[in-house]
Amino acid sequence: MRSFLALSASIVSLSISAMATAQSRNSPRSGPSSPPAFWVHDDGTVEVNNTDGQTKFQNIEAYLESELFEVVGGRCGLPPEDERISGPPLDDEPGGVAGGGSSSDCSCNQTNPSAIYDAQGDITYQIPVVFHVIRNSAGTQGNISEACIQNQVLTLNEDFNAISGSPGAPGTNCQIEFVLASVDPSGSATNGITYSDNSTWFNDGGGYYNSLAWDTSRYMNVYTNTASGALGYVPALGCSNIDGQAQDRIVILYSAIGNCATSSPYNLGRTLTHEVGHYFGLEHTFAGGCSSSSNCNNNGDLVCDTLPQQNSTSSCSSSSSCGQSHNNQRNYMDYSIDSCMNQFTYEQHLRMRCNLEHYRVQLPCTDCTGSGIPENDECSGAIALVDGPNEGTTFQATYSGVTSEPSCSTSSGIAVRNDVWYSYTVPGNGLLTLSTCGASFNSRLNIWDGGSCPSSGGPLLACSDNDCGDDAITSVFVFSGQEIIVQVGSPVNESGNFVLELALDEIIDPPVNDDCSDATAITGAVTEFTTIDASGSGFGLPLSCSTSSGPEVFSDVWFSWTAPCTGFATIASCGSEFDSRLAVYAGSTCPSSNIAPVSCADNICGDDASVTFLALEGQAFLIRVGSPVDGDEGQGSLFVDCEPIGGNPCPEDLNDDGTINGADLGLLLAAWGTDGADINDDGNTNGADLGLLLSAWGQDC
């Protein structure tokens, strides 16, 4: 437990009111005595009963800032040895535990710092954790979000694994990894978090653990409530054979959890790190005072590489005690402020792993189902992206140290913490857009060039931070076959789930006649065309050209045509696979918005177009085909005919090639229901015209 001063009898009555004294597995103690020593009311006020009488505070933060907390409240409340819960050891069961040595190596009275327990080169123990969030009956106090709990687990992993770039980096890598349980005791999927609303439980009373505990031999049970006025506590050290009892637990003040903690300066998640140290068998660094200066593995904190100290340390300044200087104030098992703590010692890590191997043998696993560090935590394990949504998580990801650039940040520096990695081979030229918008945490992303993992200052193609709320979205032009690396993390110490959206807007070459200056010359009666990926010319048509869709012409293509006769010219786009619109301009000079077309049409044959106008033999025209609907593109056929004035001696020769044959039949069928192949001049192309054509079949004109 973490406390500024050693606990007196009165302190024990305050801070340990909800803790059990020595008892068997079958005799659990229920809640605090009446009246309780510490109580948070529904209005948020705090009531403390101590030897000086009753004291009230406006809220929990005011209590934690008071001298009363420093003097009698307690940084934490580890019971004296003769009051700790204990019990017979559970039978060992096969699991992920390595085994070795004996339980006497880390008993409650001694430590044998045997190298057999050294984590280096050995397995990493994963610890399944369940958080029981207890709120008051109204649900108005004590609520903690899933994101905040995930951050607290991240802090544990930084501290117990001395992760590079994290506050825990100066410490010893214990290779103990914490994961939120993914399967509950019944075998059902879970996020490892439960919520309960009960004011008595919220005030650390009522034996809530008897109702809420998950198998304590297989899960580390963490409860958040008022912790009886302390910042946190455990009923006993791990060496006490407490595992398997419902009371085996860690209790943390609800306002001292994760990055949502408000209990400054105890607001960085180190209270839980401290209590987990007890849970794994560690004593306070100041246990035993100066008496631990000799025979240090059998006195005091039972660890020799923490120097003896008479009293706890409440600040981050260098200390001197028992005749020598020490820096125990940076040790997680002292009482200093959260920002100061950054290490377990080598012998502490040996003792903790020994405790796991002999006193909590069923707790650790080497592959907790569905949990652990993401497979793409390292760039070398980058996951290949697919078009569309890519679900991911940065929960329990480590910090690679590969940073962004100053220009990529709004205000949070250049770090990309808790990062995960992706790879992508670009299938075509275009604009690539990546987004983490809507992530459950403050996200940031970098896009790196190349098929190898980048380093800080490498070829950064694009980056984003706070471009959609506190999340990221960015676009970059890429080319076919290009390999990129995508880094997703956070500018701050946050992690969570996200969806990485990927969209590639490929750039396809537009049609050859996309621009008027490149108009395709029409030489026959039928010309195939496409408007797919065509651009617009930037000007519309007179309103008289439209039926209802406005003057715009989108995705247009251009044709040039010279009239082969003096007469009535007919041009049609009927039967196109998109909603087509056309206009005809006189001359060979590309028109602008102030040039009116000779003729224009929309929705003449279904949603397609057909125009007829007077032309002179040898006269040049420009024909424009597009759509009144933005984004409506497709393929079609352009039909062109010129009917001489004075009649046509051979009207069945629709293509004017001198012979009446299948080509003419095709034109007639294409113009069916219009006047485009009206042989008998009745205003409609129908069966009568088909009969005339067939009767003249094979004739030369």
Side-chain angles (χ1 to χ4, degrees), residues 619-677:
Q619 186 177 7
F621 295 92
L622 288 168
I623 303 168
R624 180 187 186 189
V625 183
S627 176
V629 182
D630 190 10
D632 194 7
E633 305 170 346
Q635 297 177 342
S637 299
L638 195 63
F639 303 95
V640 180
D641 181 50
C642 187
E643 184 71 25
I645 295 177
N648 186 352
C650 194
E652 297 87 359
D653 185 15
L654 297 176
N655 64 353
D656 296 325
D657 66 350
T659 303
I660 301 169
N661 52 25
D664 302 296
L665 177 61
L667 292 174
L668 187 144
L669 295 176
W672 196 269
T674 72
D675 61 357

Side-chain angles (χ1 to χ4, degrees), residues 167-521:
T172 301
N173 183 1
C174 306
Q175 290 188 215
I176 300 174
E177 177 190 337
F178 300 86
V179 298
L180 284 171
S182 60
V183 179
D184 69 15
S186 68
S188 300
T190 179
N191 65 353
I193 307 171
T194 74
Y195 290 90
S196 302
D197 295 338
N198 184 304
S199 290
T200 299
W201 292 1
F202 175 66
N203 281 285
D204 203 28
Y208 50 85
Y209 40 83
N210 290 317
S211 300
L212 301 178
W214 292 11
D215 185 351
T216 62
S217 65
R218 301 182 184 276
Y219 300 90
M220 188 175 84
N221 286 254
V222 180
Y223 299 85
T224 65
N225 56 21
T226 67
S228 291
L231 287 174
Y233 70 83
V234 297
L237 302 182
C239 54
S240 302
N241 289 311
I242 188 177
D243 64 318
Q245 301 185 57
Q247 308 156 73
D248 186 15
R249 68 195 187 278
I250 301 172
V251 184
I252 301 295
L253 179 65
Y254 66 92
S255 60
I257 287 288
N259 60 359
C260 62
T262 59
S263 300
S264 180
Y266 317 109
N267 59 346
L268 300 178
R270 262 78 213 186
T271 294
L272 184 56
T273 300
H274 176 103
E275 300 306 331
V276 173
H278 288 317
Y279 182 81
F280 290 161
L282 298 184
E283 292 275 7
H284 293 127
T285 55
F286 51 85
C290 295
S291 65
S292 63
S293 59
S294 62
N295 198 13
C296 47
N297 286 134
N298 298 80
N299 285 300
D301 68 347
L302 311 177
V303 172
C304 290
D305 57 2
T306 57
L307 295 176
Q309 66 187 97
Q310 186 62 48
N311 299 305
S312 61
T313 305
S314 60
S315 69
C316 202
S317 58
S318 302
S319 300
S320 178
S321 184
C322 304
Q324 54 188 318
S325 299
H326 65 80
N327 65 345
N328 289 347
Q329 75 276 4
R330 297 200 176 274
N331 195 282
Y332 296 120
M333 302 314 296
D334 203 345
Y335 275 179
S336 53
I337 61 177
D338 279 19
S339 60
C340 183
M341 295 177 165
N342 62 17
Q343 59 188 265
F344 289 113
T345 68
Y346 179 74
E347 285 195 16
Q348 284 177 320
H349 116 273
L350 294 177
R351 179 171 174 82
M352 287 191 290
R353 290 181 66 90
C354 177
N355 260 256
L356 283 171
E357 296 186 14
H358 297 292
Y359 297 102
R360 297 192 179 278
V361 296
Q362 300 175 42
L363 178 65
C365 57
T366 55
D367 185 20
C368 296
T369 303
S371 304
I373 295 174
E375 61 177 303
N376 56 339
D377 180 54
E378 301 291 341
C379 178
S380 58
I383 295 175
L385 289 171
V386 298
D387 292 340
N390 296 262
E391 295 184 357
T393 184
T394 62
F395 181 50
Q396 299 189 54
T398 61
Y399 178 35
S400 69
V402 179
T403 60
S404 190
E405 294 179 352
S407 60
C408 301
S409 171
T410 55
S411 60
S412 304
I414 62 175
V416 189
R417 301 189 180 278
N418 316 321
D419 49 358
V420 293
W421 298 85
Y422 297 88
S423 63
Y424 184 65
T425 301
V426 182
N429 302 330
L431 184 67
L432 179 68
T433 300
L434 289 166
S435 161
T436 60
C437 300
S440 66
F441 64 103
N442 184 350
S443 62
R444 169 177 287 178
L445 66 82
N446 289 334
I447 303 176
W448 303 88
D449 189 20
S452 60
C453 291
S455 58
S456 299
L460 186 61
L461 296 178
C463 51
S464 176
D465 177 35
N466 290 5
D467 289 318
C468 50
D470 60 4
D471 297 313
I473 182 171
T474 188
S475 298
V476 61
F477 283 103
V478 292
F479 57 87
S480 180
Q482 182 179 6
E483 294 184 355
I484 63 172
I485 298 292
V486 181
Q487 179 189 18
V488 179
S490 176
V492 293
N493 194 22
E494 291 186 5
S495 61
N497 300 321
F498 63 90
V499 176
L500 180 60
E501 289 280 357
L502 182 151
L504 177 63
D505 186 10
E506 288 195 56
I507 300 174
I508 300 175
D509 291 336
V512 295
N513 57 341
D514 182 43
D515 295 325
C516 175
S517 58
D518 297 317
T520 298

